[in-house]
Structures are given as C-alpha cells and as structure tokens.
C-alpha cells in the first residue's frame, strides 16, 4: 500500500517537519510513507466570507491531483481550515477513504512568544496519524491518550500520544485484513 505525504501549504515546505511526520506515521501504522513533492496547490478552497479554506474542497482536490499509485494521501498545509458546522478544524479525512488533510495553522504554540517548533512538530505528527487513521476506517477513541481520541483544543491534542492504543491497533489490523480480503 502506497501512503503519500504532500505539503500543499502556501509557505515553503519544512522538510524537517515532513520527515518527522513521515517517520512517526510509518511507525504508527507499520507502512512505508513517501513524501510527494509538487508545486500544485488547491485553487478553489478559500472562502472569503470566513477567511479560511474549506477542508472538504481540499480533500476533493487531493483525490483528483494525487499520484495514481497513492492508496492513501495526507495533505499538509499551513492555511486555516474549516467545515461548515465548526469554527475551525485541525484536519479532516474520508472515513475509510483515500484522502486526509491536516493544517498547521492552529497547532502552533499559543503563548505569543517565540514559536516552539518541537511542540508544533509533535502536534502535526499526532493530527496526521489521527487523520490517516480515519482513512483506514478507525473512528474516535474514548481514551484521551490514544492518537485516535477526538481533539477540539490544543490541551486535548497535547494529551494524546502519537500512536494507536492497544484496542485501536487491534482494530487497525482487523480493518487492514478485511481490506486485503476485499481486494482478493
């Protein structure tokens, strides 16, 4: 299975951040993850009224623009994301689908002082693993330390570990087996 990580932000890609997300995502799922480098960006995701980007439109764009061999793709961006019923989202994914997107915009330190790059990286890793988990069919976990726990604020993001809990890891294995049997 080919899993791709694609920087689709407005700023230049942070290769150190992308490398850490790639390595931790590989560890979480036991699958190889490739970085995809392209200058293509979604063109119609910005909503002027909200001054944010529609994560749903970005998901649709990722499905059309992704490399053909990508079974799963996670787009990473620095733009602020929303879905219509929420003020903002850290990311969105297709449950049991192919595409996910994660934004760094609201994951940076909120102290107002010098940006904490290590903290931002840890948060982006967790949200990337979380959204990719949704593409494999995993739902939100009730354990606050599991990477699949719902997080609506940074305190909840910081409480999570960057790995699946025991139960979610078992469920991931079951979902993978079902998917492999489905394709046979």
């Amino acid at each position: 299975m080919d899993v791709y990580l694609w920087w689709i932000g407005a700023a230049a890609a942070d290769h150190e951040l992308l490398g850490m997300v790639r390595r931790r995502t590989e560890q979480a799922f036991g699958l190889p993850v490739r970085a995809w480098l392209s200058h293509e960006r979604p063109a119609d995701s910005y909503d002027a009224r909200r001054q944010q980007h529609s994560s749903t439109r970005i998901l649709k764009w990722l499905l059309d623009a992704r490399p053909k061999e990508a079974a799963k793709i996670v787009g990473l961006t620095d733009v602020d994301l929303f879905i219509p019923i929420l003020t903002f989202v850290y990311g969105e994914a297709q449950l049991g689908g192919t595409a996910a997107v994660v934004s760094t915009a609201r994951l940076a330190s909120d102290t107002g002082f010098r940006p904490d790059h290590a903290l931002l990286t840890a948060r982006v890793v967790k949200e990337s693993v979380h959204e990719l988990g949704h593409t494999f069919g995993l739902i939100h976990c009730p354990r606050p330390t599991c990477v699949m726990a719902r997080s609506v604020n940074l305190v909840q993001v910081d409480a999570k570990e960057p790995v699946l809990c025991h139960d979610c890891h078992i469920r991931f294995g079951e979902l993978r087996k079902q998917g492999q049997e489905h394709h046979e």
Side-chain angles (χ1 to χ4, degrees):
M1 170 170 292
D2 293 322
V3 178
Y4 280 76
L5 185 64
W6 186 359
W7 175 257
I8 55 171
D14 178 338
H15 293 284
E16 181 182 332
L17 171 76
L18 293 176
M20 182 61 78
V21 171
R22 186 182 58 77
R23 286 187 296 277
R24 297 305 297 255
T25 304
E26 286 177 337
Q27 291 171 349
F29 295 104
L31 296 169
V33 176
R34 297 178 181 189
W36 177 254
L37 300 176
S38 169
H39 295 292
E40 291 182 73
R41 300 289 183 266
D44 68 343
S45 63
Y46 186 69
D47 184 309
R49 186 177 51 81
R50 293 185 64 133
Q51 298 183 2
Q52 293 174 298
H53 291 258
S54 166
S55 56
T56 304
R57 286 187 200 156
I58 292 175
L59 288 180
K60 290 177 182 171
W61 179 83
L62 281 168
L63 290 172
D64 291 339
R66 68 185 162 106
K68 295 193 181 331
E69 64 274 16
K72 305 284 182 191
I73 188 159
V74 179
L76 291 174
T77 184
D78 52 0
V79 299
D80 195 20
L81 300 177
F82 79 95
I83 59 173
I85 61 169
L86 295 175
T87 304
F88 72 92
V89 291
Y90 297 126
E92 183 181 359
Q94 298 176 298
L95 185 63
T98 302
V101 61
V102 173
S103 171
T104 63
R106 294 190 185 236
L107 294 173
S109 178
D110 58 358
T111 62
F113 296 104
R114 185 173 16 160
D116 186 335
H117 193 266
L119 183 59
L120 172 64
T121 299
R123 289 171 174 167
V124 174
V125 164
K126 293 173 190 177
E127 292 310 299
S128 297
V129 171
H130 178 95
E131 297 302 343
L132 186 58
H134 284 318
T135 69
F136 285 111
L138 293 173
I139 59 173
H140 287 140
C141 179
R143 291 176 187 77
T145 58
C146 177
V147 76
M148 292 310 298
R150 179 186 304 269
S151 50
V152 297
N153 57 51
L154 293 177
V155 171
Q156 291 173 324
V157 173
D158 292 341
K160 296 194 290 189
E161 297 293 328
V163 295
L164 301 173
C165 71
H166 178 73
D167 291 348
C168 286
H169 187 75
I170 290 172
R171 182 68 183 137
F172 170 67
E174 292 169 350
L175 290 167
R176 286 285 316 245
K177 186 175 179 181
Q178 290 171 1
Q180 290 169 348
E181 290 171 356
H182 180 71
H183 291 291
E184 289 178 351

